Amino acid sequence: MIFPFTMMAMCCAAVAHVLVTKRPAFARNCLCYGIVLAALGVHWSFGGGDASGVVGWALLGPQLSVMTGGRFRHGVVLTAGIILFIAAFAVLECQLGAAHITPQRVHIAPTWSAIFQSLHATCPGAISFVAILLVCAQAQKQQRKVALSQSESETLNANLVEQQRRLAMEQRLAHKLISNVFPEHIAT
């Protein structure tokens, strides 16, 4: 139970930090690493069989980090680390047995186990889907801004071309007027 409580403490620290400093970077790191730490900790505590669905939560950490302004490369490295941890844990659990790897073998009532497994199977995907929707909405908003900027730049470019045409005509007229008023050697 230490891992969920650690996650709660990290969330409280993140909220307090944002309220005091108005800077989200620390909060983003607390939440993203907290999700990874809590999920992998629960996976380790319960053993891979009963808690294998918890891995989906761990993989949300890097996704949310990148989505909220974290570095892409950092998210890729963290995801690779999670995958390697889970693979190594699974191999060790198969080779040595769960009793040698996990601190305790916890038995959950079948009803609660089914509830937890359904939540672990659906919630990370649903959260990821909402995150994708938010990213798509932001991308569409940016596309509209780009289209508006392009339209404005085309209008400004057309105005500039028209002003250049008028300036060239006025220069020709001024040169013609000067040529008609002054002698040729002065006009040029």
Side-chain angles (χ1 to χ4, degrees), residues 162-180:
E162 178 62 25
Q163 287 178 357
Q164 287 175 340
R165 186 189 64 76
R166 287 181 184 172
L167 179 62
M169 185 188 331
E170 288 176 8
Q171 285 177 338
R172 282 192 306 273
L173 290 174
H175 183 66
K176 189 175 181 180
L177 180 63
I178 290 172
S179 296
N180 287 339

Side-chain angles (χ1 to χ4, degrees), residues 81-95 101:
I82 292 167
I83 292 169
L84 287 174
F85 174 84
I86 296 301
F89 185 84
V91 167
L92 286 173
E93 192 174 39
C94 286
Q95 295 296 319
I101 301 296

Side-chain angles (χ1 to χ4, degrees), residues 14-68:
V15 168
H17 186 269
V18 168
L19 291 175
V20 171
T21 66
K22 307 291 188 231
R23 294 183 183 163
F26 177 76
R28 176 186 60 232
N29 290 334
C30 275
L31 296 176
C32 294
Y33 285 114
I35 288 171
V36 172
L37 175 68
L40 294 179
V42 168
H43 186 75
W44 169 68
S45 295
F46 285 83
D50 292 335
S52 61
V54 121
V55 173
W57 290 100
L59 293 171
L60 273 180
Q63 290 178 33
L64 295 175
S65 175
V66 169
M67 214 185 91
T68 56

